[in-house]
Structures are given as C-alpha cells and as structure tokens.
Amino acid sequence: MSKGVLPTHVGIIMDGNGRWAVRQNKKRTEGHKAGAKNVELITNVAFSMGIKTITLFAFSSENWKRPKEEVELLFGLLKKYFKTHIKKIIKNKIKLNVMGDLEGLPEDVREIIKKQMEETKDFNDHVLNIALNYGGRAEIVKAVKTALEKGEEITEESISKNLYTYDFGEPELIIRTSGEKRLSNFMLYQSAYSEFYFTDVLWPDFNEECFKKAIDDYMNRDRRFGNINA
Ligand code: IPE
Ligand code: IPE
Ligand code: MG
C-alpha cells in the first residue's frame, strides 16, 4: 500500500550505549558520550532525506532505576546537547519538542527545554521530538485524564488528540538498535500499526548507512492495516 514511500515520522529507541562501552573496556558513561554524538549525525541524515519528524527515546521513566552517577551524567549530556545545538536547530528551522514528564526533570534541564521549545515553536519544516522521562503507559493515562477534564467522551480519537505526539502523527517506522526486540514502554498507543526495524548494531555505531538501510527496508514493506493487498 505504501511501498516506496518515505516515512514522515520515524521513532528511534537509541539502545546499546552501555554495551558499546563495556566491549571496549570503557566505562558506560563513555558509551553515553558516544551515543550523544551520534544524535546530530542521524537527525541530519533523516532531515536531509526529507523525513519530517524524528522521535528519539533518550530517557525512559524507568531509567531512574540506574545508578545515580549514570543518571547525572545522562542529564549533564542532555543539557550540553541542548545548549550546543540550539543555534543550528534554529538555523535549520527545526521545531524542538520534548515529550514526557517534564515536571519530574531536574529544574535546570527543564528550564533550558522550555526556553528552547518556545524559541522553536513556530518552525514546522522538521520536528526533533525527544522522549525524556517518558513512559507510554503514563502518556495514555494522562491523555485519558486530560480528555475527561475537557469534558470529552473517551474515544480512540479523543485519546489520540491528547497524546504528546498528536501534531506530529503516528510513527510509520520504529527503529531499535542493540539487538533488543521490545518497545520498553515507547509510544505504545501510537505504534499500533508502526513497522518495526531491529538491528544488532549498537547506537554509537549506528551510522548513516545503517539508517538508510532501515529506511530502505521500511520502503519495501507491505502495509495493509487489516485490508488485503491492493
Ligand atoms: C541507551 O543505552 C541509553 C539509555 C537508555 C539512556 P543503554 O544505556 O541502555 O545501553 P545498554 O542497553 O546498557 O547497552
Ligand atoms: C530504552 O532502553 C530506553 C531508551 C533507549 C532511552 P533501556 O535500555 O532502558 O530498555 P530495557 O531496560 O533494556 O528494556
Ligand atoms: Mg539499554
């Protein structure tokens, strides 16, 4: 049905930083640094191919279980990412959006995010959506509560409308690196009809060629949505 058509929205579960580091006898934190560097490369490749929206899973609501030192380093890297990339993001007219429980983030991280979302809110060519302190189940619960507060009837449509991603559409493709084959609470509602692409490549090694291979794989699939082949 959509063979040969580029996806408009791609979700990426950027997994495997820790194993990448351990395999090289480095500390896990080195893996996160390498992973953070890869974000710019892959988002640039995606946007230059004409993909409109990229949603990156950067920190799940379950990742707080990790050692304090690792969590602190991750937020330090995120802060650095937001600070060093904002000029380029604005220059390239990218809307920066962060989805998740922002109130549960360290205050300094939350303040930077809010400011940068405000600064880029009018851009619509491309969207860089970052899932931070995000959980798919919590998102669904929040959407239902919001719909009820607005006096809306609970329907598939009203739930969809109150999800973080409503303006960006559902991801046609979700990529997960590092060989794990699960969603880990990522975009549960939105992925009902997503295509999945799993690769053993660890996130810091997931380069332009790997990304293009995933897109090519997607473009050769038949998506039927319950129908039969046309
Ligand atoms: C993904 O890499 C980054 C985050 C979850 C923040 P991991 O840190 O999960 O790496 P592995 O899965 O332990 O190798
Ligand atoms: C999912 O990876 C979250 C991110 C990539 C940010 P995890 O490494 O936390 O997932 P599990 O624990 O292996 O399912
Ligand atoms: Mg992992």
Side-chain angles (χ1 to χ4, degrees):
M1 260 179 171
S2 52
K3 258 193 172 176
V5 179
L6 200 68
T8 59
H9 182 177
V10 177
I12 307 180
I13 303 173
M14 310 183 289
D15 199 11
N17 294 348
R19 279 163 284 168
W20 182 90
V22 169
R23 279 182 202 169
Q24 302 182 46
N25 289 318
K26 290 177 179 164
K27 282 169 76 180
R28 287 178 58 86
T29 47
E30 292 303 314
H32 293 312
K33 287 181 192 163
K37 275 199 194 132
N38 204 32
V39 167
E40 190 186 11
L41 171 80
I42 295 302
T43 50
N44 283 343
V45 170
F47 293 149
S48 62
M49 285 171 82
I51 293 167
K52 188 175 161 91
T53 303
I54 289 289
T55 295
L56 300 176
F57 203 4
F59 192 87
S60 77
S61 44
E62 289 76 39
N63 286 146
W64 293 105
K65 292 175 190 160
R66 296 185 178 204
K68 194 167 169 260
E69 186 204 0
E70 180 166 339
V71 172
E72 277 173 3
L73 178 112
L74 280 167
F75 282 111
L77 286 171
L78 280 159
K79 239 173 34 182
K80 195 169 146 204
Y81 175 85
F82 289 121
K83 278 189 181 157
T84 50
H85 288 85
I86 189 63
K87 277 199 185 128
K88 267 192 235 164
I89 288 175
I90 292 175
K91 189 169 157 265
N92 294 325
K93 299 196 181 340
I94 296 167
K95 188 202 293 290
L96 182 74
N97 189 71
V98 176
M99 67 170 187
D101 178 11
L102 299 192
E103 297 314 308
L105 292 176
E107 202 186 334
D108 51 347
V109 178
R110 182 171 64 239
E111 289 314 311
I112 297 175
I113 289 169
K114 283 192 173 164
K115 188 167 166 279
Q116 299 196 347
M117 279 173 62
E118 180 61 29
E119 281 173 3
T120 61
K121 74 175 189 323
D122 295 327
F123 297 139
N124 278 310
D125 292 357
H126 295 291
V127 180
L128 175 55
N129 184 33
I130 300 180
L132 206 55
N133 197 16
Y134 171 86
R137 286 183 178 170
E139 181 188 27
I140 296 168
V141 172
K142 187 174 180 293
V144 172
K145 282 189 179 160
T146 312
L148 286 172
E149 277 162 21
K150 292 190 209 159
E152 294 170 359
E153 195 191 330
I154 300 303
T155 60
E156 291 188 14
E157 176 60 17
S158 73
I159 295 175
S160 293
K161 240 170 60 189
N162 289 295
L163 294 174
Y164 295 120
T165 51
Y166 183 62
D167 291 340
F168 316 140
E170 293 174 356
E172 294 98 330
L173 172 66
I174 294 181
I175 298 171
R176 183 169 189 151
T177 59
S178 89
E180 309 302 345
K181 295 177 184 68
R182 53 178 172 265
L183 276 177
S184 303
N185 208 7
F186 185 56
M187 294 211 278
L188 298 183
Y189 198 89
Q190 298 91 327
S191 63
Y193 259 105
S194 300
E195 296 291 328
F196 294 97
Y197 182 87
F198 298 107
T199 169
D200 288 340
V201 177
L202 304 172
W203 173 249
D205 292 329
F206 188 78
N207 58 22
E208 174 167 0
E209 194 191 335
C210 300
F211 183 77
K212 289 189 164 161
K213 203 171 145 204
I215 300 300
D216 193 56
D217 191 280
Y218 165 82
M219 285 168 64
N220 280 297
R221 296 189 189 182
D222 277 318
R223 303 185 76 204
R224 287 185 286 275
F225 304 97
N227 204 336
I228 55 166
N229 262 338

